[in-house]
Amino acid sequence: MTNNSVSSTARVLGAGLRALLVLTLVCGVLYPLAVTGVAQALFNDKANGSEIKDSGGRVVGSSLIGQRYDLPLKDGEESPAPDLKWFQPRPSNGLGSNSVNTQYSLILSGATNRSGDNKELVQWVTDAKAAVVKDNSTPTYEVKPADVPADAVTSSGSGLDPDISPAYAELQVHRVAEKNNLGVEKVKALVADHTTGRLLGFMGEPRVNVLELNTALRNLTRG
């Protein structure tokens, strides 16, 4: 190999190394730092996982991921019973249990993928509707099967939907008020305060974030 060939190879290798270092600095250091800085400055809440905190400043979860509110599993039970002092989310096998704290485990995410006329699915929905009627009826408030909205008896596609419809939240008001020794109007106001309307007035559906609502409920009962 001639000296010219060696020199040419060295120049090419040197140029390649400089390009690698520059691209690593720009794409691997400066760009991520810039994006992180902008996100922290302009979208701090979203950049940090949309965390929800209680009145004591403790992180209790994310507003993006649904959680369950169940009683401890008893001997002989296949699944725990819902803790009826809390607003309940949509039914789903994809949600771990939670008592408004960070100690919850995610089981799985996904839908049943069964057709609308599947006998097992129809039975699940029928049983779920009967449970909603029974659990939410109080001595002064009767829930009728026709009052039960679809999201009270069906899971979302991911199984992790953090929101319920205002109709399902309102259906639970009397039961939650009774279990927590609160006035019905006070609980209704709590639901109204945590109801989010359609984006820009026309996109999506009105919704209530269950974790945010239950966190506010806990703060209220402790206050």
Side-chain angles (χ1 to χ4, degrees), residues 7-223:
S7 177
S8 177
T9 301
R11 285 196 299 271
V12 171
L13 290 176
L17 180 59
R18 288 193 297 273
L20 174 63
L21 292 175
V22 170
L23 290 173
T24 299
L25 177 63
V26 173
C27 298
V29 179
L30 298 180
Y31 178 73
L33 285 176
V35 171
T36 301
V38 170
Q40 290 293 334
L42 301 180
F43 311 102
N44 182 266
D45 176 63
K46 293 180 174 59
N48 290 301
S50 300
E51 295 175 341
I52 295 178
K53 299 179 180 180
D54 62 15
S55 58
R58 185 176 60 133
V59 175
V60 296
S62 169
S63 63
L64 304 177
I65 301 176
Q67 301 174 8
R68 292 191 60 84
Y69 300 84
D70 294 328
L71 296 170
L73 186 66
K74 297 180 180 179
D75 291 338
E77 288 184 335
E78 293 185 3
S79 57
D83 189 343
L84 298 180
K85 71 178 182 179
W86 303 110
F87 285 93
Q88 294 296 311
R90 298 183 67 169
S92 175
N93 291 328
L95 302 182
S97 60
N98 184 276
S99 296
V100 196
N101 60 45
T102 57
Q103 305 302 312
Y104 70 96
S105 58
L106 189 63
I107 301 172
L108 55 87
S109 172
T112 64
N113 232 15
R114 288 172 169 79
S115 63
D117 59 354
N118 179 274
K119 291 183 179 179
E120 188 174 25
L121 179 61
V122 170
Q123 189 60 53
W124 285 350
V125 171
T126 301
D127 292 344
K129 179 175 284 191
V132 169
V133 170
K134 176 178 178 294
D135 289 344
N136 291 283
S137 293
T138 71
T140 59
Y141 179 75
E142 179 185 1
V143 176
K144 300 177 181 178
D147 299 331
V148 180
D151 63 305
V153 295
T154 57
S155 63
S156 64
S158 69
L160 303 175
D161 193 343
D163 304 317
I164 57 176
S165 66
Y168 187 27
E170 290 167 7
L171 182 145
Q172 301 183 61
V173 163
H174 287 78
R175 182 253 299 162
V176 170
E178 181 187 76
K179 296 292 183 180
N180 290 280
N181 297 315
L182 295 171
V184 170
E185 294 304 318
K186 181 173 289 189
V187 180
K188 283 184 177 181
L190 202 64
V191 171
D193 289 343
H194 290 83
T195 298
T196 302
R198 292 180 173 88
L199 182 63
L200 300 179
F202 67 93
M203 290 191 292
E205 294 293 332
R207 60 199 182 279
V208 180
N209 187 282
V210 181
L211 178 57
E212 291 180 354
L213 180 60
N214 278 336
T215 301
L217 175 63
R218 166 162 282 187
N219 293 339
L220 180 64
T221 56
R222 285 181 171 179

